């Protein structure tokens, strides 16, 4: 069984757990406490020199970057390709959404909230505006769409679900983005492992207290 070094509060870890659940893969989940610096211990840095979670170790093969892990899990263990179709065009759109999720949407979350949560910095209104720009884009991508990329649930939905639920639990008001809200309501219903994701979100919420 593959090991997953993780923390329930981490959005990127939660996306891996949801995809594993969706393909029926059991993972040997190993909690790694960032607060006590477990990720900086030599034994973990030897596995992942970038010392980030999630980190997957599958029979000696170590992989990190959550979206790369999602792709790997579906390609290696998915009984079908439905979560990451082999069709180059479908896959290209999924990849675009995944890069958008990492480089724009989640990035806007980290840029705005992390300095406040972990550095006691004041809120920066310019960074707050960038979250709105990212949500506006997601709203545009979702125009007339039930799913984030194509006609059915893919790893793009699952990565975005981990991110949007993190905004949700942070109290970010995205109610004006109608397409996002419709997509979110459906994604919560149809994504295996949503309950565990939401429980992890509650762990993240504690950082705001
Ligand atoms: N883009 C990465 C982000 C991973 C990441 O930054 N994880 C955080 C926890 S949410 C972490 O491990 N931080 C510890 C560190 O960077 O040393 C992914 O999606 O896997």
């Amino acid at each position: 069984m593959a090991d997953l070094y993780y923390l329930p509060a981490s959005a990127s870890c939660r996306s891996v757990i949801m995809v594993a659940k969706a393909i029926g893969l059991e993972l040997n989940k190993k909690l790694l406490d960032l607060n006590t610096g477990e990720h900086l211990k030599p034994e973990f840095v030897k596995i992942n020199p970038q010392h980030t979670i999630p980190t997957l170790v599958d029979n000696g093969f170590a992989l990190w970057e959550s979206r790369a892990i999602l792709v790997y899990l579906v390609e290696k263990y998915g009984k079908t390709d439905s979560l990451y179709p082999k069709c180059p065009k479908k896959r290209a759109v999924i990849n675009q959404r995944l890069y958008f999720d990492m480089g724009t949407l989640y990035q806007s979350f980290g840029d705005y909230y992390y300095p406040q949560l972990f550095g006691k910095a004041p809120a920066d209104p310019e960074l707050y505006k960038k979250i709105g720009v990212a949500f506006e884009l997601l709203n545009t991508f979702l125009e007339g769409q039930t799913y984030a990329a194509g006609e059915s649930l893919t790893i793009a939905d699952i990565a975005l679900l981990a991110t949007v639920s993190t905004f949700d639990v942070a109290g970010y008001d995205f109610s004006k983005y109608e397409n996002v809200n419709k997509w979110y309501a459906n994604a919560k219903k149809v994504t295996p492992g949503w309950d565990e994701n939401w429980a992890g979100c509650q762990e993240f919420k504690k950082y705001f207290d």
Side-chain angles (χ1 to χ4, degrees), residues 97 136-152 157 177-184 186:
R97 304 300 196 240
E136 193 64 62
L137 284 167
L138 181 60
N139 203 56
T140 302
F141 301 159
L142 290 168
E143 183 69 52
Q145 297 277 129
T146 306
Y147 295 99
E151 302 304 311
S152 59
D157 294 284
Y177 303 103
E178 233 177 84
N179 304 328
V180 173
N181 283 291
K182 258 195 246 159
W183 164 85
Y184 186 43
N186 181 59

Side-chain angles (χ1 to χ4, degrees), residues 10 12 34 39 51-54 65-67 102:
S10 153
S12 42
L34 302 180
H39 60 308
H51 49 75
T52 51
I53 50 168
E65 279 302 338
S66 58
R67 295 156 193 84
M102 177 174 163

Side-chain angles (χ1 to χ4, degrees), residues 124-198:
D124 180 332
E126 286 309 308
L127 294 173
Y128 188 78
K129 272 192 217 153
K130 287 203 173 167
I131 298 178
V133 173
F135 265 92
E136 193 64 62
L137 284 167
L138 181 60
N139 203 56
T140 302
F141 301 159
L142 290 168
E143 183 69 52
Q145 297 277 129
T146 306
Y147 295 99
E151 302 304 311
S152 59
L153 188 80
T154 67
I155 56 174
D157 294 284
I158 297 179
L160 286 162
L161 182 60
T163 299
V164 171
S165 56
T166 306
F167 276 104
D168 187 358
V169 89
Y172 179 75
D173 180 11
F174 52 90
S175 56
K176 70 174 169 181
Y177 303 103
E178 233 177 84
N179 304 328
V180 173
N181 283 291
K182 258 195 246 159
W183 164 85
Y184 186 43
N186 181 59
K188 286 198 272 191
K189 264 194 262 159
V190 302
T191 304
W194 159 256
D195 289 348
E196 188 173 348
N197 176 71
W198 189 239

Side-chain angles (χ1 to χ4, degrees), residues 8-203:
S10 153
S12 42
C13 294
R14 287 187 265 110
S15 71
V16 173
I17 290 167
M18 285 191 279
V19 166
K21 182 109 184 180
I23 59 176
L25 178 73
E26 221 183 303
L27 294 170
N28 179 31
K29 290 191 268 175
K30 296 181 156 193
L31 273 175
L32 196 82
D33 191 354
L34 302 180
N35 300 314
T36 59
E38 272 191 301
H39 60 308
L40 301 174
K41 288 193 174 153
E43 52 271 33
F44 187 67
V45 174
K46 208 167 150 198
I47 297 170
N48 173 358
Q50 210 177 331
H51 49 75
T52 51
I53 50 168
T55 292
L56 183 83
V57 182
D58 186 11
N59 204 12
F61 171 63
L63 185 65
W64 54 96
E65 279 302 338
S66 58
R67 295 156 193 84
I69 297 173
L70 307 186
V71 168
Y72 173 76
L73 289 181
V74 176
E75 290 192 324
K76 176 111 197 269
Y77 294 107
K79 288 177 191 78
T80 71
D81 70 350
S82 75
L83 286 175
Y84 193 53
K86 290 196 174 74
C87 162
K89 278 191 182 163
K90 288 184 180 166
R91 192 163 273 204
V93 177
I94 293 167
N95 290 339
Q96 183 275 320
R97 304 300 196 240
L98 290 175
Y99 295 130
F100 167 78
D101 178 46
M102 177 174 163
T104 302
L105 188 62
Y106 197 86
Q107 185 73 37
S108 74
F109 183 93
D111 287 348
Y112 178 69
Y113 286 105
Y114 284 3
Q116 297 175 59
L117 293 178
F118 307 116
K120 308 263 173 250
D124 180 332
E126 286 309 308
L127 294 173
Y128 188 78
K129 272 192 217 153
K130 287 203 173 167
I131 298 178
V133 173
F135 265 92
E136 193 64 62
L137 284 167
L138 181 60
N139 203 56
T140 302
F141 301 159
L142 290 168
E143 183 69 52
Q145 297 277 129
T146 306
Y147 295 99
E151 302 304 311
S152 59
L153 188 80
T154 67
I155 56 174
D157 294 284
I158 297 179
L160 286 162
L161 182 60
T163 299
V164 171
S165 56
T166 306
F167 276 104
D168 187 358
V169 89
Y172 179 75
D173 180 11
F174 52 90
S175 56
K176 70 174 169 181
Y177 303 103
E178 233 177 84
N179 304 328
V180 173
N181 283 291
K182 258 195 246 159
W183 164 85
Y184 186 43
N186 181 59
K188 286 198 272 191
K189 264 194 262 159
V190 302
T191 304
W194 159 256
D195 289 348
E196 188 173 348
N197 176 71
W198 189 239
C201 285
Q202 304 314 312
E203 291 303 308

